[in-house]
């Protein structure tokens, strides 16, 4: 693991952390009993198997 030789200033730390951005999940259509829902792609199989309900 990399270990810094010197302490990083508060300003540099905050500037580095500010670059991180969260992205919205990619939604895909999912049809259940004739009704189409938009669900996150990574959860699609859970919805298809009935582990999650789209109404919640």
């Amino acid at each position: 693991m990399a270990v810094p030789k010197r302490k990083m200033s508060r300003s540099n730390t905050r500037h580095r952390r500010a670059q991180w951005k969260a992205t919205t999940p990619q939604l895909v259509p999912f049809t259940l009993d004739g009704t189409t829902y938009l669900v996150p792609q990574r959860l699609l199989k859970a919805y298809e198997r009935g582990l999650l309900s789209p109404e919640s």
Side-chain angles (χ1 to χ4, degrees):
M1 186 171 100
V3 178
K5 282 192 168 185
R6 305 231 182 265
K7 181 177 180 179
M8 188 179 237
S9 70
R10 180 179 294 173
S11 176
N12 282 345
T13 300
R14 290 181 176 166
H15 279 280
R16 176 176 43 80
R17 287 181 181 166
Q19 300 303 313
W20 185 86
K21 302 279 189 298
T23 58
T24 57
Q26 180 183 359
L27 299 178
V28 294
F30 166 65
T31 304
L32 178 69
D33 299 330
T35 307
T36 303
Y37 301 96
L38 287 177
V39 297
Q41 184 177 7
R42 61 179 293 175
L43 297 177
L44 184 59
K45 287 192 178 184
Y47 283 108
E48 289 173 349
R49 293 176 183 164
L51 300 174
L52 295 174
S53 63
E55 288 82 24
S56 59

